[in-house]
Amino acid sequence: MQVAVIGLGRFGSALAETLIERDHEVIVIDKNEKLVQRFVGKTDTAIVADATDDTVLRTLGLPDMDAVVVAIGDDVEASVLVCITLMDLGVKKIIAKAEDERHARILSRIGVQKVVQPEKESARHVADMISYPTITERFNISDRHAIVEIKAPKSFVGKRIRDLDLRRRYNVLIIGIRRKEAVFDKRADIKDLNEVFLAPPDPDGEIEEGDTLVLLAPNEAIDEIARWE
Ligand code: ATP
């Protein structure tokens, strides 16, 4: 994929590095030469320029890119100007970083499709790790629903999914089960453990010790799920 990252602060740099590691074609732009220098040799196109100067943006073939990320936080005016120029150029996918709620609202209002607030999002992630230690993964799929992963609570082991009745009791669906299955050798000794993902799981199947359950849950059920033992 071809991606441009405008603004090489901590977030923009970390993002550009990750994309380069994944073998994407990455253009990086910053007005600070020192920050751009760090990318020389890592990517073919590392540009020192003021991105609010639209003549620069016009020459880079940005409309053909799969995504352009605007990672300018402090200077809201520059961030907005760059986003508007990118929209005028016909860039298909713009992802912009916002410093705070006000900045995020402005970017959404001018039509940026995806606005991220990395500090806020990672703070929430760490808070979740503290508040909900049994929930090993959480992925918000709408404002009201999340997909969460938990180790199967002891009280569930040996019970059929149907009999747990989670859907009626809490509006929670088990959409998948991650399970280690033993692989036996000829002498019936355990040779290896294979991970299988049962999705959707059989409602008549039993939960086994060591299972990981993948749940689709409304946000209001998360506190309840975190209490399951
Ligand atoms: P961090 O990710 O470190 O939290 P931040 O959101 O605070 O960053 P800023 O300091 O606002 O980031 O800017 C990130 C980068 O964007 C800086 O390196 C800055 O030089 C660059 N930048 C700001 N304005 C422009 C511009 N008009 N053109 C090019 N680069 C710019």
Side-chain angles (χ1 to χ4, degrees):
M1 281 201 192
Q2 293 183 309
V3 185
V5 178
I6 303 175
L8 298 173
R10 280 165 302 175
F11 173 72
S13 294
L15 175 69
E17 272 163 22
T18 308
L19 292 168
I20 291 167
E21 274 165 27
R22 293 187 187 176
D23 287 331
H24 295 304
E25 242 177 78
V26 182
I27 292 183
V28 294
I29 305 161
D30 199 294
K31 61 183 181 183
N32 180 335
E33 190 179 346
K34 267 198 197 141
L35 297 173
V36 175
Q37 275 296 336
R38 291 203 217 135
F39 283 88
V40 173
K42 291 186 185 168
T43 172
D44 290 339
T45 325
I47 299 166
V48 183
D50 182 340
T52 56
D53 178 354
D54 62 348
T55 53
V56 175
L57 295 189
R58 276 174 210 286
T59 58
L60 297 173
L62 300 178
D64 298 325
M65 305 240 130
D66 296 289
V68 177
V69 182
V70 181
I72 301 174
D74 288 348
D75 189 346
V76 177
E77 192 181 326
S79 147
V80 169
L81 266 174
V82 172
C83 288
I84 289 174
T85 306
L86 295 174
M87 282 184 236
D88 286 347
L89 288 174
V91 172
K92 286 170 287 204
K93 187 168 186 190
I94 303 171
I95 301 168
K97 175 192 153 151
E99 185 82 342
D100 51 29
E101 290 302 330
R102 181 176 151 268
H103 188 180
R105 249 196 337 270
I106 294 170
L107 293 175
S108 300
R109 270 306 264 278
I110 63 170
V112 174
Q113 300 109 317
K114 181 76 185 157
V115 179
V116 293
Q117 284 183 264
E119 291 90 351
K120 190 173 157 192
E121 284 151 26
S122 77
R124 186 175 299 158
H125 186 67
V126 174
D128 280 352
M129 277 163 55
I130 295 165
S131 324
Y132 308 122
T134 55
I135 295 178
T136 49
E137 288 284 349
R138 175 175 180 166
F139 178 70
N140 294 327
I141 50 166
S142 79
D143 289 346
R144 297 182 42 238
H145 296 86
I147 291 179
V148 299
E149 247 185 51
I150 56 168
K151 284 265 167 259
K154 280 210 171 63
S155 59
F156 285 19
V157 173
K159 298 219 168 82
R160 295 192 309 167
I161 291 175
R162 183 187 296 288
D163 298 333
L164 290 170
D165 211 12
L166 302 182
R167 179 170 186 175
R168 194 187 53 79
R169 290 162 71 199
Y170 310 108
N171 246 329
V172 170
L173 289 183
I174 299 180
I175 56 172
I177 297 179
R178 221 181 287 291
R179 175 173 293 165
K180 293 252 178 6
E181 284 193 341
V183 183
F184 296 96
D185 63 13
K186 282 185 203 138
R187 289 184 306 178
D189 290 330
I190 294 178
K191 192 174 74 176
D192 211 348
L193 289 173
N194 250 357
E195 188 173 280
V196 291
F197 187 59
L198 310 169
D202 175 1
D204 289 314
E206 284 183 7
I207 307 287
E208 295 182 7
E209 196 175 339
D211 281 353
T212 297
L213 310 183
V214 182
L215 312 171
L216 174 61
N219 288 341
E220 55 274 17
I222 302 286
D223 280 327
E224 174 63 35
I225 291 169
R227 283 196 294 270
W228 290 346
E229 288 180 339

